[in-house]
Amino acid sequence: MRAGSDDEFTEYVTARIPVLRRLAYLLTGDGHRADDLVQQTITTLYVKWQRARAADNLDAYVRKMLVRTYVDEKRLAWARVGLFREAPESAPVADGGAEDRQVVRAALSRLPRRQQAVLVLRFYYDLPVDEVAAMLGCTSGTVKTHTSRGLATLRRLLGDSDAAAFQFAS
Protein backbone atom coordinates (compact mmCIF):
# COMPACT_ATOMS: atom_id res chain seq x y z
CA MET A 1 0.00 0.00 0.00
CA ARG A 2 1.26 3.51 -0.80
CA ALA A 3 1.75 6.16 1.89
CA GLY A 4 -1.20 8.22 0.61
CA SER A 5 -3.35 5.12 0.56
CA ASP A 6 -2.26 4.28 4.13
CA ASP A 7 -3.25 7.78 5.22
CA GLU A 8 -6.64 7.37 3.53
CA PHE A 9 -7.17 4.03 5.24
CA THR A 10 -6.17 5.41 8.65
CA GLU A 11 -8.44 8.42 8.26
CA TYR A 12 -11.40 6.26 7.20
CA VAL A 13 -10.95 3.70 9.98
CA THR A 14 -10.42 6.35 12.66
CA ALA A 15 -13.69 8.02 11.69
CA ARG A 16 -15.68 4.77 11.43
CA ILE A 17 -14.50 2.81 14.50
CA PRO A 18 -17.35 4.00 16.77
CA VAL A 19 -19.98 2.98 14.21
CA LEU A 20 -18.33 -0.37 13.53
CA ARG A 21 -17.95 -1.08 17.24
CA ARG A 22 -21.63 -0.27 17.85
CA LEU A 23 -22.72 -2.70 15.13
CA ALA A 24 -20.33 -5.36 16.44
CA TYR A 25 -21.64 -4.86 19.98
CA LEU A 26 -25.25 -5.16 18.82
CA LEU A 27 -24.36 -8.41 17.08
CA THR A 28 -22.26 -9.95 19.86
CA GLY A 29 -23.64 -8.39 23.04
CA ASP A 30 -20.12 -8.34 24.47
CA GLY A 31 -17.70 -5.42 24.34
CA HIS A 32 -14.59 -7.60 24.14
CA ARG A 33 -15.96 -9.78 21.37
CA ALA A 34 -17.13 -6.63 19.57
CA ASP A 35 -13.60 -5.22 19.71
CA ASP A 36 -12.20 -8.49 18.35
CA LEU A 37 -14.75 -8.50 15.54
CA VAL A 38 -13.95 -4.90 14.60
CA GLN A 39 -10.21 -5.63 14.70
CA GLN A 40 -10.62 -8.65 12.46
CA THR A 41 -12.73 -6.64 10.02
CA ILE A 42 -10.26 -3.74 9.95
CA THR A 43 -7.38 -6.14 9.32
CA THR A 44 -9.22 -7.68 6.40
CA LEU A 45 -10.14 -4.21 5.15
CA TYR A 46 -6.47 -3.19 5.19
CA VAL A 47 -5.57 -6.16 3.01
CA LYS A 48 -8.41 -5.39 0.59
CA TRP A 49 -8.21 -1.58 0.82
CA GLN A 50 -7.47 -0.95 -2.88
CA ARG A 51 -10.58 -2.86 -3.91
CA ALA A 52 -12.70 -1.56 -1.01
CA ARG A 53 -12.06 2.12 -1.57
CA ALA A 54 -13.31 1.75 -5.14
CA ALA A 55 -16.71 0.55 -3.85
CA ASP A 56 -19.75 2.71 -4.56
CA ASN A 57 -20.65 2.80 -0.86
CA LEU A 58 -17.60 2.15 1.28
CA ASP A 59 -19.58 2.17 4.54
CA ALA A 60 -21.96 -0.50 3.26
CA TYR A 61 -18.99 -2.53 1.98
CA VAL A 62 -17.28 -2.46 5.39
CA ARG A 63 -20.54 -3.13 7.26
CA LYS A 64 -21.04 -6.16 5.01
CA MET A 65 -17.52 -7.37 5.83
CA LEU A 66 -18.20 -7.05 9.56
CA VAL A 67 -21.54 -8.87 9.42
CA ARG A 68 -20.14 -11.69 7.31
CA THR A 69 -17.18 -12.04 9.65
CA TYR A 70 -19.61 -12.31 12.55
CA VAL A 71 -21.85 -14.87 10.83
CA ASP A 72 -18.84 -16.97 9.75
CA GLU A 73 -17.10 -16.72 13.12
CA LYS A 74 -18.62 -19.93 14.51
CA ARG A 75 -16.99 -21.95 11.74
CA LEU A 76 -13.51 -21.01 12.92
CA ALA A 77 -11.71 -23.41 15.25
CA TRP A 78 -10.91 -20.73 17.85
CA ALA A 79 -14.62 -20.04 18.35
CA ARG A 80 -14.91 -23.45 20.04
CA VAL A 81 -12.17 -22.69 22.57
CA GLY A 82 -13.50 -22.01 26.06
CA LEU A 83 -11.28 -20.10 28.44
CA PHE A 84 -13.67 -20.26 31.38
CA ARG A 85 -16.02 -22.90 32.73
CA GLU A 86 -18.60 -20.13 33.06
CA ALA A 87 -18.56 -16.65 31.62
CA PRO A 88 -17.72 -13.98 34.20
CA GLU A 89 -20.64 -11.87 35.36
CA SER A 90 -20.87 -8.50 33.71
CA ALA A 91 -20.90 -5.35 35.79
CA PRO A 92 -24.40 -4.01 36.52
CA VAL A 93 -25.40 -0.93 34.59
CA ALA A 94 -27.28 1.78 36.50
CA ASP A 95 -29.02 3.21 33.45
CA GLY A 96 -32.77 3.53 32.92
CA GLY A 97 -34.08 0.61 30.88
CA ALA A 98 -30.85 -1.36 31.32
CA GLU A 99 -32.72 -4.40 32.60
CA ASP A 100 -34.95 -4.43 29.51
CA ARG A 101 -31.90 -4.17 27.26
CA GLN A 102 -30.19 -7.02 29.09
CA VAL A 103 -33.29 -9.21 28.80
CA VAL A 104 -33.63 -8.47 25.09
CA ARG A 105 -29.88 -8.97 24.53
CA ALA A 106 -30.05 -12.35 26.30
CA ALA A 107 -33.04 -13.41 24.19
CA LEU A 108 -31.39 -12.19 21.01
CA SER A 109 -28.23 -14.15 21.81
CA ARG A 110 -30.27 -17.36 21.86
CA LEU A 111 -31.19 -16.96 18.18
CA PRO A 112 -29.07 -18.40 15.37
CA ARG A 113 -26.38 -15.98 14.15
CA ARG A 114 -28.02 -15.19 10.81
CA GLN A 115 -31.32 -14.39 12.53
CA GLN A 116 -29.47 -12.17 15.00
CA ALA A 117 -27.73 -10.38 12.14
CA VAL A 118 -30.97 -9.92 10.21
CA LEU A 119 -32.84 -8.49 13.22
CA VAL A 120 -30.02 -6.14 14.18
CA LEU A 121 -29.61 -4.87 10.62
CA ARG A 122 -33.34 -4.56 9.96
CA PHE A 123 -34.46 -3.00 13.24
CA TYR A 124 -31.45 -1.34 14.87
CA TYR A 125 -29.94 -0.11 11.61
CA ASP A 126 -33.26 0.25 9.76
CA LEU A 127 -31.86 -1.29 6.58
CA PRO A 128 -34.25 -2.46 3.85
CA VAL A 129 -34.71 -6.17 3.17
CA ASP A 130 -32.86 -6.03 -0.16
CA GLU A 131 -29.79 -4.39 1.38
CA VAL A 132 -29.67 -6.96 4.20
CA ALA A 133 -30.02 -9.74 1.64
CA ALA A 134 -27.13 -8.37 -0.40
CA MET A 135 -25.03 -7.99 2.73
CA LEU A 136 -25.63 -11.59 3.83
CA GLY A 137 -25.44 -13.04 0.33
CA CYS A 138 -28.95 -14.49 0.33
CA THR A 139 -32.36 -13.74 -1.17
CA SER A 140 -34.92 -11.23 0.09
CA GLY A 141 -37.21 -14.14 0.90
CA THR A 142 -34.57 -15.65 3.17
CA VAL A 143 -34.22 -12.34 5.02
CA LYS A 144 -38.00 -12.16 5.45
CA THR A 145 -38.06 -15.73 6.75
CA HIS A 146 -35.23 -15.02 9.21
CA THR A 147 -37.05 -11.87 10.33
CA SER A 148 -40.34 -13.67 10.87
CA ARG A 149 -38.83 -16.64 12.68
CA GLY A 150 -36.49 -14.47 14.74
CA LEU A 151 -39.32 -12.18 15.88
CA ALA A 152 -41.54 -15.17 16.70
CA THR A 153 -38.76 -16.72 18.78
CA LEU A 154 -38.07 -13.41 20.54
CA ARG A 155 -41.76 -13.02 21.37
CA ARG A 156 -41.83 -16.55 22.74
CA LEU A 157 -38.66 -16.03 24.78
CA LEU A 158 -39.70 -12.65 26.11
CA GLY A 159 -43.32 -13.52 26.82
CA ASP A 160 -46.29 -11.35 25.91
CA SER A 161 -45.72 -8.62 28.52
CA ASP A 162 -42.03 -8.17 27.74
CA ALA A 163 -42.62 -8.36 24.01
CA ALA A 164 -45.16 -5.55 24.25
CA ALA A 165 -42.65 -3.40 26.13
CA PHE A 166 -39.95 -4.13 23.58
CA GLN A 167 -40.56 -2.20 20.38
CA PHE A 168 -39.18 -4.84 18.00
CA ALA A 169 -42.24 -4.99 15.78
CA SER A 170 -42.38 -6.55 12.37
Side-chain angles (χ1 to χ4, degrees), residues 118-159:
V118 165
L119 293 179
V120 166
L121 293 170
R122 292 279 324 279
F123 297 106
Y124 281 105
Y125 276 81
D126 200 28
L127 295 178
V129 171
D130 294 335
E131 192 171 333
V132 174
M135 192 176 292
L136 294 174
C138 61
T139 66
S140 296
T142 301
V143 170
K144 291 176 185 177
T145 300
H146 282 315
T147 301
S148 175
R149 289 180 181 165
L151 288 174
T153 303
L154 279 180
R155 286 185 186 108
R156 182 180 50 77
L157 291 171
L158 295 173

Side-chain angles (χ1 to χ4, degrees), residues 21-29 34 105 108 116 120 124-125:
R21 189 171 189 287
R22 181 172 188 267
L23 173 57
Y25 181 79
L26 288 170
L27 291 169
T28 64
R105 166 59 33 219
L108 192 60
Q116 287 180 36
V120 166
Y124 281 105
Y125 276 81

